[in-house]
Amino acid sequence: MKLNIDTRRTIGKRDKMIYGHFIEHFHRQIYGGIFDPGNPLSDRDGFRLDVIEAMRKIKVPILRWPGGCFVSAHHWKDAVGPERKPSFDKAWRVEEPNTFGTDEYIAFCRKVGCEPYICTNAGTGNAEEMSDWVEYCNLSNEGPYAKQRISNGHRDPYKVRYWSIGNENYGGWEIGAKSAEEWGRLVTESAKMMLRVDPQTELSAAALADLDWNINLLRNCGDRINWISIHDYWDAIHQTNDYADYEQSIAYTNHLDDKIVKVQGILNAMGLQNKIRIAFDEWNLRGWYHPNIHTVKQGLTTADYLTPRDLNDENCRYTMADAVFTACFLNMCNRNCTVVGMANFAPVVNTRGCIFTHKDGIVLRSTYHVFDLYVNNLGETVLDTYVENMPQIQVREKTGGTVGMDALDIITTLDTHEGCIVVAAVNKDPHRAWDLELEWVGPFVSSVYTIQTLMGTGTESYNDINHVDAEPGKPVTVNYNPGTVISLPAHSVNIIRFANPVNKN
Ligand code: AHR
């Protein structure tokens, strides 16, 4: 197998927001997750310092909040000001204390160093409530809501640039679900009012890879939105929690970009490809486990619908399957960097997140280390490379049967600042290593490379409290000359960096 690299052939520059994250008012993501007042590990604002440190290490560029399904019946005005009255969260059937609201969220984003990205209520909410939220966040002092922010102790506007209109309003499970026709009209009027308040906002709208929904949406407000939001959870175990095993999880990496290709086709057909980008603003291999809530017949007891959510916290479930899948998804975003400008891992903390919190600390799950390797090594320019003689593997699908696919998933990037070529090579094969050769076309030369590998001790490796079996080894430096073969271990994510100062910008 040979990877052909020509630094003159580029796909484009990836937006760092493809390494974004999402957090929702669900289970322990907020309360007991990032917001844990009274815990000795929290600062005086109640934010977990160990979580902030971990999120800063993976340079979280943007954090979408507060939902997710939660947002479709949430009223932001309940969660600002000195008096916070609890509300009943009809999305998740729990009491929402409203002690973590806009001001706390913005403060948290400032400490992490990430852009805020607020998702508005297009379920029971309306254009006015959404645009009032923009007033509260972005106007200096005009009108009642900016003045309210000031009286709440926040003199300067937050300048929240990214806003999403709605969350999955196409789905029967969503509170305030809409028809395609209703959606086009609501987004238009909401976008109109939000832009009247702050024309510098960038707006996204909930969408899916569906022709009617998107044509209606884009015909109505293609001129007012900058992003189209899509979501996916491949192992859809929301109701059953029956995890796909390693091979079944890898099977999902076949055609990961199906939805992107469809949405991109619609954007191209409508001449919007240079105006609107895709925000894949919820994604994860595994759906969150919350049985008997998105069903017509609701669970009657908390044992039916609430206690089972604790099973999302089983750290042993987040293995090399999740890490390999996550790396393949991030590779796909890099390869599609001309149309995918943002992606948000759902969620960042607890549930299926890459960081797990407990009262005495945090666990960095296998997926966290993929973000760490990618964000802190890959370059901004994605090269158009190809692999000769790509080996094929057969893997079992969860639905039965097997599917054939490439054994490896490789992207090549150029870090123009450092003058480095950085390759992310994922070996999906559960059983064997594969050797990689490189063919250099063009001016790049290098005589040494470093390789850092995340592979665990097996496909089922995971990290937990007092148990670490899925974290990267130290980078290893190896002399290189053309013809050198690089071995990629089974079930591994590898970052291979070729340095050559002569190429520095
Ligand atoms: O399972 C969690 C839910 O997944 C999010 O709240 C929603 O946006 C998506 O359907």
Side-chain angles (χ1 to χ4, degrees):
M1 167 179 54
K2 185 178 284 185
L3 173 66
N4 290 267
I5 298 178
D6 181 346
T7 54
R8 296 165 299 183
R9 293 172 53 86
T10 63
I11 293 175
K13 287 192 187 312
R14 62 94 181 93
D15 191 313
K16 67 180 180 180
M17 293 197 295
I18 62 171
Y19 299 118
H21 289 267
F22 167 59
I23 196 156
E24 179 166 355
H25 288 241
F26 174 84
H27 201 233
R28 296 191 320 113
Q29 295 178 29
I30 302 285
Y31 305 105
I34 65 173
F35 190 55
D36 198 359
N39 186 309
L41 297 173
S42 297
D43 65 12
R44 66 172 183 277
D45 297 317
F47 302 132
R48 282 288 291 265
L49 289 165
D50 45 358
V51 171
I52 290 171
E53 182 188 0
M55 288 177 71
R56 289 181 67 85
K57 184 165 186 290
I58 57 172
K59 299 187 178 72
V60 172
I62 190 164
L63 182 68
R64 178 171 178 260
W65 167 86
C69 294
F70 166 79
V71 78
S72 292
H74 171 65
H75 298 290
W76 68 268
K77 296 171 186 174
D78 294 343
V80 291
E83 300 298 320
R84 307 289 178 89
K85 291 194 299 303
S87 51
F88 186 72
D89 167 9
K90 295 183 179 68
W92 297 119
R93 298 181 61 197
V94 293
E95 181 172 274
E96 166 57 46
N98 286 314
T99 51
F100 187 97
T102 305
D103 298 329
E104 291 74 23
Y105 165 68
I106 295 293
F108 182 76
C109 287
R110 299 293 189 254
K111 292 184 181 196
V112 168
C114 65
E115 281 287 336
Y117 174 27
I118 295 179
C119 185
T120 61
N121 174 0
T124 62
N126 57 32
E128 189 151 45
E129 183 183 36
M130 296 181 210
S131 53
D132 291 350
W133 206 349
V134 181
E135 285 187 39
Y136 183 85
C137 291
N138 289 3
L139 291 185
S140 325
N141 61 10
E142 306 90 326
Y145 301 108
K147 287 179 175 60
Q148 188 185 3
R149 183 197 69 245
I150 293 167
S151 68
N152 288 339
H154 310 284
R155 181 174 56 88
D156 299 328
Y158 292 142
K159 299 194 172 82
V160 177
R161 179 174 176 183
Y162 301 98
W163 295 80
S164 175
I165 297 171
N167 176 79
E168 301 187 358
N169 301 87
Y170 45 80
W173 60 84
E174 197 76 13
I175 289 176
K178 302 284 185 301
S179 68
E181 296 69 28
E182 289 166 333
W183 187 239
R185 296 296 312 128
L186 174 63
V187 174
T188 297
E189 293 311 312
S190 305
K192 189 191 298 180
M193 285 188 79
M194 293 165 85
L195 290 168
R196 291 282 172 86
V197 174
D198 183 352
Q200 297 187 78
T201 54
E202 288 195 28
L203 305 180
S204 87
L208 69 172
D210 174 85
L211 209 47
D212 293 336
W213 183 270
N214 289 340
I215 286 177
N216 243 292
L217 171 66
L218 296 170
R219 270 210 187 112
N220 274 280
C221 55
D223 55 347
R224 289 193 169 96
I225 62 174
N226 313 80
W227 300 88
I228 189 164
S229 158
I230 58 175
H231 296 170
D232 211 345
Y233 297 88
W234 284 259
D235 195 22
I237 54 178
H238 306 84
Q239 179 67 17
T240 60
N241 210 36
D242 63 328
Y243 292 76
D245 65 22
Y246 181 87
E247 278 196 35
Q248 293 166 341
S249 299
I250 297 312
Y252 289 125
T253 65
N254 232 9
H255 314 306
L256 263 184
D257 57 357
D258 275 0
K259 286 191 174 180
I260 289 169
V261 170
K262 284 179 188 154
V263 171
Q264 186 173 24
I266 296 167
L267 290 173
N268 292 344
M270 299 183 78
L272 293 167
Q273 66 275 22
N274 297 322
K275 179 182 182 308
I276 295 177
R277 290 190 287 170
I278 292 172
F280 214 122
D281 55 21
E282 276 186 41
W283 70 272
N284 198 316
L285 163 61
R286 313 228 189 252
W288 307 357
Y289 183 43
H290 41 66
N292 307 316
I293 193 83
H294 283 178
T295 45
V296 173
K297 190 177 177 316
Q298 291 296 307
L300 292 180
T301 66
T302 53
D304 291 338
Y305 70 89
L306 194 54
T307 319
R309 296 175 193 176
D310 293 341
L311 292 178
N312 288 289
D313 284 348
E314 292 180 306
N315 290 313
C316 61
R317 297 292 197 166
Y318 306 102
T319 67
M320 283 309 300
D322 302 79
V324 166
F325 179 93
T326 296
C328 291
F329 183 89
L330 295 177
N331 282 0
M332 182 275 292
C333 289
N334 276 284
R335 268 193 289 270
N336 289 282
C337 61
T338 58
V339 68
V340 179
M342 187 194 311
N344 305 71
F345 190 62
V348 58
V349 171
N350 294 332
T351 311
R352 306 280 190 212
C354 59
I355 301 169
F356 171 79
T357 66
H358 56 95
K359 68 178 178 53
D360 303 320
I362 58 174
V363 173
L364 301 178
R365 289 169 169 166
S366 64
T367 46
Y368 177 90
H369 296 295
V370 175
F371 278 97
D372 190 5
L373 288 172
Y374 273 58
V375 165
N376 290 305
N377 287 287
L378 291 179
E380 81 295 334
T381 302
V382 186
L383 296 184
D384 181 12
T385 53
Y386 68 97
V387 176
E388 292 172 59
N389 306 318
M390 170 68 83
Q392 298 297 300
I393 53 173
Q394 286 287 333
V395 292
R396 284 175 292 105
E397 292 183 297
K398 197 172 184 181
T399 50
T402 63
V403 62
M405 64 172 66
D406 292 352
L408 296 103
D409 186 320
I410 300 176
I411 58 162
T412 306
T413 65
L414 178 60
D415 177 341
T416 49
H417 180 67
E418 293 296 325
C420 294
I421 297 263
V422 190
V423 175
V426 185
N427 180 0
K428 302 190 267 187
D429 193 319
H431 306 301
R432 62 158 288 181
W434 289 97
D435 288 345
L436 181 67
E437 274 189 80
L438 295 101
E439 181 75 37
W440 299 93
V441 180
F444 192 91
V445 290
S446 180
S447 57
V448 66
Y449 71 86
T450 59
I451 182 168
Q452 191 170 15
T453 298
L454 168 65
M455 55 185 275
T457 52
T459 57
E460 303 313 299
S461 291
Y462 66 91
N463 300 323
D464 202 346
I465 304 171
N466 305 322
H467 175 92
V468 176
D469 187 27
E471 65 175 16
K474 296 263 181 280
V476 176
T477 300
V478 184
N479 288 326
Y480 174 81
N481 54 60
T484 298
V485 167
I486 300 172
S487 176
L488 304 173
H491 53 76
S492 69
V493 179
N494 305 273
I495 297 289
I496 311 163
R497 173 185 287 266
F498 295 90
N500 187 322
V502 298
N503 299 298
K504 259 193 177 189
N505 261 356

